[in-house]
Amino acid sequence: MDFRQLRYFVAIVEEGSISAASRKVHIAQPALTRQIHALEAALGGSLFERGAKGIALTVTGKALYEEAKQLLETRERIMARITALGQGITGKVAVGVTVSHLWVPEIKQVLSGFRDSYPQVALEVYPLLSGPQSEKLKDGSIDAGFLYMGDEIPDYLRTRLFHKDNLVLAVPENSPLVDSPPDKVHQLNRYNFVWGPRSSSPVYYDKLLAYLHQQDFYPKVVQIGADNVTILSLVAAGLGISIVPGDCKWISPPGVSFIDMPELARCDMSVSFAWNTHNHSPALQNFINTVLDGCHTQQPSSC
């Protein structure tokens, strides 16, 4: 007994005759009859009573009909589920996004575009700083991420430059720097700064300080904020000023003004998209394709 024979059997019952069933399942009537005889032989009993008025189900046939319908329906559900998983139509994708970039339009567009294209995939988005993201990409806790990447890319990761950004000066909105911004970064040495810890994003932190030191600037740090959201809140409270990525304007609380400075604008602080190459999930591949379609460039990231 196989599913094909069960399908033929159910067709005969529902169509009322072998000839009608043969047309429905697209098989010649003699071949259909042979399949039903084989099914009866496997079960050890007749399924139909054949008389002058046509065919009718035996007790065995009635019992098999109910079971066969359930088996065929279950098979269809299983096949549909497995096919959907294999095509990435269902499943789960866990994605990390740096706190500063959750509201960046390009990332919002990618997330909403993927949701529209694959509504049955569970898309889990985690606000994570670049340091924790790197660890979770390594151990497989997340499948992909938007983060700051260094020049040396681990073997288990693939990356693409996703979004270009640079640095800006963040000050309280009532700061005199709003009306009289400095020409050079080193002129900020006398101000109190709100800064972030290196552990939150080592790549960003090291690159930021290396560039600022080249400009003869060494921040006088009086307050530490765990992330850029906290840093901007402390700036808004008047506890100092800070240098942050330009995309922080999307997460800024009221009371902060952003000042563009030529020297800060020359420091590339672009965000990369990265994914673990050991993860072969079809749903993840569909997410990767969605992201790459929206990338500004397809070249490997070097930031």
Side-chain angles (χ1 to χ4, degrees), residues 7-8 21-28:
R7 185 165 62 89
Y8 292 162
S22 69
R23 292 190 293 272
K24 179 179 181 180
V25 297
H26 306 291
I27 183 175

Side-chain angles (χ1 to χ4, degrees), residues 31-32 34 36 51 57 59 97 107 130 141 146 152 204 220 238 251 268 277 280:
L32 178 57
R34 287 195 298 272
I36 296 303
L57 286 172
V59 173
V97 183
I107 291 181
S130 294
S141 300
F146 298 88
E152 296 183 5
Y204 170 83
K220 183 172 67 174
I251 60 168
D268 178 26
T277 56
H280 304 294

Side-chain angles (χ1 to χ4, degrees), residues 65-84:
Y65 177 60
E66 296 302 322
E67 296 292 341
K69 285 200 302 181
Q70 292 183 23
L71 283 171
L72 291 172
E73 289 172 0
T74 300
R75 177 180 183 270
E76 289 299 319
R77 287 197 300 271
I78 293 173
M79 293 297 294
R81 181 185 176 198
I82 298 303
T83 299

Side-chain angles (χ1 to χ4, degrees), residues 173-224:
E173 61 181 1
N174 59 357
S175 169
L177 290 172
V178 175
D179 295 324
S180 301
D183 297 323
K184 300 291 183 179
V185 175
H186 71 80
Q187 294 171 339
L188 298 170
N189 275 311
R190 63 189 180 89
Y191 291 91
N192 292 333
F193 269 79
V194 182
W195 218 249
R198 184 180 184 277
S199 59
S200 64
S201 183
V203 170
Y204 170 83
Y205 186 97
D206 292 345
K207 184 174 181 178
L208 172 63
L209 278 189
Y211 180 79
L212 294 177
H213 290 171
Q214 291 175 7
Q215 313 309 313
D216 197 25
F217 171 69
Y218 300 84
K220 183 172 67 174
V221 178
V222 298
Q223 190 75 40
I224 296 292

Side-chain angles (χ1 to χ4, degrees), residues 211-281:
Y211 180 79
L212 294 177
H213 290 171
Q214 291 175 7
Q215 313 309 313
D216 197 25
F217 171 69
Y218 300 84
K220 183 172 67 174
V221 178
V222 298
Q223 190 75 40
I224 296 292
D227 53 46
N228 283 325
V229 174
T230 306
I231 289 172
L232 292 175
S233 297
L234 295 173
V235 170
L239 300 184
I241 64 176
S242 191
I243 293 174
V244 296
D247 282 326
C248 282
K249 64 184 178 182
W250 301 106
I251 60 168
S252 178
V256 178
S257 292
F258 294 96
I259 300 174
D260 294 318
M261 297 180 61
E263 287 183 343
L264 295 182
R266 287 196 291 270
C267 183
D268 178 26
M269 281 297 181
S270 298
V271 174
S272 292
F273 172 64
W275 66 96
N276 193 316
T277 56
H278 297 157
N279 188 331
H280 304 294
S281 160

Side-chain angles (χ1 to χ4, degrees), residues 104-171:
V104 171
E106 289 85 350
I107 291 181
K108 290 197 297 183
Q109 182 178 354
V110 164
L111 298 179
S112 62
F114 182 76
R115 165 60 56 234
D116 291 341
S117 298
Y118 302 96
Q120 296 183 64
V121 174
L123 179 61
E124 299 178 354
V125 180
Y126 297 94
L128 293 167
L129 297 169
S130 294
Q133 271 199 66
S134 296
E135 293 301 318
K136 290 183 178 296
L137 281 169
K138 183 177 181 179
D139 65 24
S141 300
I142 59 174
D143 304 311
F146 298 88
L147 69 164
Y148 297 110
M149 296 294 301
D151 294 332
E152 296 183 5
I153 307 300
D155 293 340
Y156 56 86
L157 288 184
R158 290 283 303 279
T159 69
R160 291 292 183 273
L161 179 63
F162 178 78
H163 173 70
K164 287 186 173 295
D165 194 15
N166 51 29
L167 298 173
V168 296
L169 181 65
V171 302

